[in-house]
């Protein structure tokens, strides 16, 4: 545990940021998983959910939670997976 006030503040900040990042990362993973699951069963519903997944991936990249190239790769693979199931 930090002793100095600045260390305590830094600890509070990092906890808050970690929670925010975890929330955004979880939302992204859930959206991607939802689209992947729907590609196996209902492709038309997956097409409707795809923009939401793209949006969450873009937000995660914008906030630095994932790298922008990793975001592009995820989006590309999702779109490719959906295109092959049609």
């Amino acid at each position: 545990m930090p002793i100095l006030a600045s260390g305590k503040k830094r600890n509070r900040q990092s906890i808050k940021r970690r929670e925010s990042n975890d929330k955004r990362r979880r939302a992204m993973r859930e959206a991607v998983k939802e689209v992947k699951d729907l590609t196996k069963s209902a492709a038309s519903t997956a097409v409707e959910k795809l923009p939401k997944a793209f949006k969450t991936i873009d937000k995660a990249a914008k906030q630095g939670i994932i790298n922008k190239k990793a975001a592009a790769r995820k989006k590309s693979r999702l779109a490719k997976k959906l295109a092959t199931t049609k």
Side-chain angles (χ1 to χ4, degrees):
M1 285 300 295
I3 297 168
L4 298 177
S6 60
K8 291 177 182 178
K9 180 180 179 181
R10 188 76 178 151
N11 200 28
R12 287 194 306 269
Q13 288 175 332
S14 67
I15 290 169
K16 190 182 283 188
R17 286 186 182 129
R18 186 182 72 232
E19 289 172 354
S20 176
N21 290 344
D22 287 347
K23 181 180 174 187
R24 180 75 64 198
R25 190 178 291 113
R26 195 175 326 110
M28 180 190 68
R29 286 180 181 158
E30 287 172 358
V32 169
K33 186 176 181 182
E34 188 176 13
V35 172
K36 281 184 180 179
D37 291 343
L38 286 171
T39 55
K40 296 172 187 169
S41 58
S44 60
T45 312
V47 172
E48 295 170 8
K49 299 279 184 177
L50 193 64
K52 182 184 177 226
F54 280 6
K55 185 177 179 180
T56 58
I57 292 170
D58 286 337
K59 281 186 175 184
K62 184 177 180 183
Q63 292 186 342
I65 296 166
I66 60 170
N67 189 285
K68 68 177 186 176
K69 292 191 177 188
R73 192 169 55 246
K74 281 182 185 293
K75 289 166 53 175
S76 174
R77 288 179 181 169
L78 259 183
K80 185 178 177 182
K81 187 174 194 107
L82 193 61
T84 58
T85 58
K86 283 185 178 180

